[in-house]
Amino acid sequence: MNEFVRRAKGALVSIDDFEYSDPFRRGFIGNELLHHLISTHHARIRSLKTNLTHERDLPLYNEMLSCTFPALQELHVLAERWNILDGADCILEYLLRNAPCLQLLLLRLHEMPSQALSWRYPCFSQLTPLVLHLHTTDELDIASPPFLHAFLQMTALSRVLIFDASRDSRSPTCKSGCPIKPEDLAYLECLRSMTLISPMETHAHLLRHIRIPVCTQLCLVPNWMPSEVFKPSTHQVFGHTLGDLTRFHHDAPPFNSAYMYFKELSSVRTPYITLGLTHTWLPS
C-alpha cells in the first residue's frame, strides 16, 4: 500500500477510518499504515473520515498536530465518547485551523462540553455542506453565541443539516422583542436547504439570527416532544420568528400549496403531524 501511494505521486488521497470504532479491530498493521499515510502524505489528503471513539486512537491522531492539510476538502469526525477523550478537542481544533481548503464538514460529537470548540476558523468561509450531530454536556445549544457567530462566517453554505440531540426542555433564549442589529444577522445567500432537528426553542432562536433566500427548502423537526415543549411562550416566540422570516421577503411570490400528513411514532405512541407550504402548485 505504501508503495502504491508513493508511486501515485501527486494524486490526492482519501482516508476512511469510520468503520473502526476500536483500534484493535484495525490491527497493528492498519495502525501503522494509517500513521504512515497521515505523517507522510498529509499534504495530499483530500478526504479524511476519522473515528475518535476510543481513547487508544488519540496517540495515533496526535501525530496530526505537526502536519498541515492544504488539500483537505472533506472532513468527517465521529467521537461518541468525547467526555473521556482527553485531547480530542485539540486534535479537532488543529484540523479545522490547518485545512484552508475545507469545503465539507461533518461532525458527530457526543457528550461534548460547551467550550470544546471555539467555532472560529478561517475555513468556515468556504464551507458548502455542513452536517452537525451534537449532544452537549451542558447548556450549550446550536443557538448559542459562539455558534451564531460561526454562521456569520459561513457565507458559502448551500446545505445544512443539524441534529441537536439534547433532550433538555429549555426556556426560549431569545424573546420575540429581543433587538437584533443588522450586523448580527447571518445572511446565508447561497443556502438551498436547511434541516434543523432540535428543541423548538432552538428553532425559534436560531431562525431569529439568520436570513435565508426565498427558494431555500426549510425543514424544522422537534427532536422530541415532552409535555413541557408545548408552552405558550415557546409557540409565541416561534410564531413571531417565522413572521419576521417571511416579512424579510416582502416581494416573494405567495405560497401556492399546502400539505399535511399524519404519522404515529410507534415507540412512544405519539401522533406526529407534518405541515408544509410550497411556492409550487404541487406539494414537494
Side-chain angles (χ1 to χ4, degrees):
M1 176 65 74
N2 289 336
E3 182 64 15
F4 174 80
V5 175
R6 186 185 68 80
R7 291 194 178 193
K9 296 183 179 179
L12 298 178
V13 177
S14 294
I15 298 176
D16 188 346
D17 192 41
F18 249 33
E19 296 299 320
Y20 297 100
S21 58
D22 189 323
F24 288 126
R25 289 183 58 201
R26 191 189 300 123
F28 176 78
I29 295 178
N31 283 328
E32 288 296 307
L33 176 60
L34 189 58
H35 175 274
H36 178 79
L37 283 173
I38 292 173
S39 60
T40 306
H41 303 289
H42 55 90
R44 296 168 52 188
I45 297 176
R46 176 190 177 277
S47 175
L48 178 60
K49 300 179 181 180
T50 178
N51 194 323
L52 293 175
T53 295
H54 206 286
E55 60 269 22
R56 295 189 184 93
D57 283 320
L58 293 181
L60 173 65
Y61 283 103
N62 275 327
E63 296 294 332
M64 295 183 191
L65 300 182
S66 60
C67 303
T68 57
F69 299 87
L72 188 64
Q73 297 180 23
E74 300 182 7
L75 177 62
H76 303 233
V77 177
L78 170 63
E80 293 186 344
R81 296 187 292 174
W82 188 282
N83 60 324
I84 66 170
L85 296 177
D86 185 20
D89 51 345
C90 295
I91 294 173
L92 185 52
E93 278 273 331
Y94 187 88
L95 281 171
L96 291 172
R97 292 191 183 282
N98 289 275
C101 295
L102 194 66
Q103 296 179 15
L104 185 153
L105 179 61
L106 186 153
L107 301 178
R108 294 184 59 185
L109 311 177
H110 188 74
E111 298 181 347
M112 180 187 72
S114 62
Q115 302 303 318
L117 299 176
S118 67
W119 299 106
R120 295 171 181 253
Y121 310 103
C123 64
F124 276 3
S125 63
Q126 63 219 12
L127 284 182
T128 49
L130 173 67
V131 180
L132 298 179
H133 185 297
L134 303 178
H135 182 192
T136 58
T137 57
D138 46 28
E139 294 300 320
L140 176 75
D141 60 28
I142 61 171
S144 62
F147 191 80
L148 290 173
H149 184 274
F151 261 121
L152 293 174
Q153 307 171 62
M154 299 179 186
T155 55
L157 280 178
S158 61
R159 182 172 64 90
V160 176
L161 170 59
I162 299 176
F163 178 33
D164 178 4
S166 172
R167 292 183 177 267
D168 298 327
S169 178
R170 304 184 177 104
S171 298
T173 53
C174 190
K175 307 298 183 184
S176 58
C178 171
I180 299 178
K181 299 178 182 178
E183 59 268 25
D184 294 331
L185 288 170
Y187 295 89
L188 307 180
E189 298 179 356
C190 299
L191 195 65
R192 292 295 173 262
S193 69
M194 170 179 276
T195 300
L196 301 177
I197 306 172
S198 66
M200 189 177 294
E201 294 86 354
T202 302
H203 292 169
H205 191 183
L206 183 61
L207 293 179
R208 276 187 58 77
H209 291 267
I210 65 173
R211 292 295 179 263
I212 59 179
V214 66
C215 60
T216 300
Q217 184 178 32
L218 179 63
C219 181
L220 306 175
V221 182
N223 66 341
W224 80 318
M225 294 173 292
S227 59
E228 292 83 2
V229 165
F230 301 101
K231 293 181 292 189
S233 58
T234 299
H235 283 271
Q236 183 180 20
V237 173
F238 184 66
H240 282 294
T241 298
L242 287 181
D244 291 341
L245 199 63
T246 55
R247 282 189 291 273
F248 176 71
H249 299 290
H250 56 85
D251 56 348
F255 292 109
N256 289 317
S257 63
Y259 62 92
M260 176 188 303
Y261 70 85
F262 300 83
K263 180 180 180 180
E264 183 174 271
L265 302 180
S266 56
S267 58
V268 291
R269 289 190 169 276
T270 300
Y272 194 80
I273 305 173
T274 298
L275 306 174
L277 294 170
T278 70
H279 294 287
T280 62
W281 287 106
L282 292 176
S284 59

